[in-house]
């Protein structure tokens, strides 16, 4: 039995993608293992996975989720509070 068989069976038997995702999390999958499994089972590109994740975990679009970080990105890219403008 493959490491994704349970989740592939769930999907084939009518479970939603969100149900499969939450089942994998309840089974202890985290980080890269969770990403790999869900991408494989749902046949998602990495970008599609990120969109799915943002909607599932944060109930918002990936674009809206990422906008929350724009202030910090702007701050560091302009060199504020960063002598010499070098992050390292």
């Amino acid at each position: 039995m493959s490491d994704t068989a349970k989740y592939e069976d769930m999907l084939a038997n009518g479970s939603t993608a969100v149900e499969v995702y939450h089942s994998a999390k309840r089974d202890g999958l985290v980080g890269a293992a969770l990403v790999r499994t869900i991408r494989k089972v749902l046949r998602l590109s990495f970008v599609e996975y990120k969109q799915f994740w943002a909607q599932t975990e944060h109930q918002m679009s990936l674009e809206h989720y990422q906008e929350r970080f724009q202030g910090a990105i702007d701050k560091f890219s302009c060199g504020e509070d960063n002598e010499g403008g070098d992050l390292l």
Side-chain angles (χ1 to χ4, degrees):
M1 185 172 195
S2 78
D3 56 343
T4 59
K6 172 185 177 180
Y7 310 112
E8 291 166 346
D9 287 345
M10 287 179 67
L11 201 58
N13 289 315
S15 294
T16 67
V18 173
E19 290 169 335
V20 171
Y21 175 82
H22 287 298
S23 179
K25 284 184 67 175
R26 279 191 304 275
D27 289 344
L29 292 177
V30 295
L34 178 63
V35 173
R36 275 192 305 271
T37 299
I38 297 303
R39 285 188 61 210
K40 182 177 180 181
V41 171
L42 301 180
R43 295 177 172 84
L44 300 174
S45 70
F46 187 69
V47 171
E48 290 169 331
Y49 173 82
K50 288 188 340 181
Q51 293 166 335
F52 171 78
W53 172 83
Q55 185 62 47
T56 302
E57 289 290 331
H58 301 285
Q59 293 74 45
M60 63 179 71
S61 70
L62 179 60
E63 181 179 297
H64 188 265
Y65 177 79
Q66 290 176 327
E67 285 174 357
R68 302 179 323 156
F69 305 106
Q70 193 59 50
I73 292 168
D74 291 343
K75 178 179 177 179
F76 286 108
S77 66
C78 294
E80 292 179 30
D81 295 329
N82 186 10
E83 295 178 24
D86 188 9
L87 292 177
L88 299 177

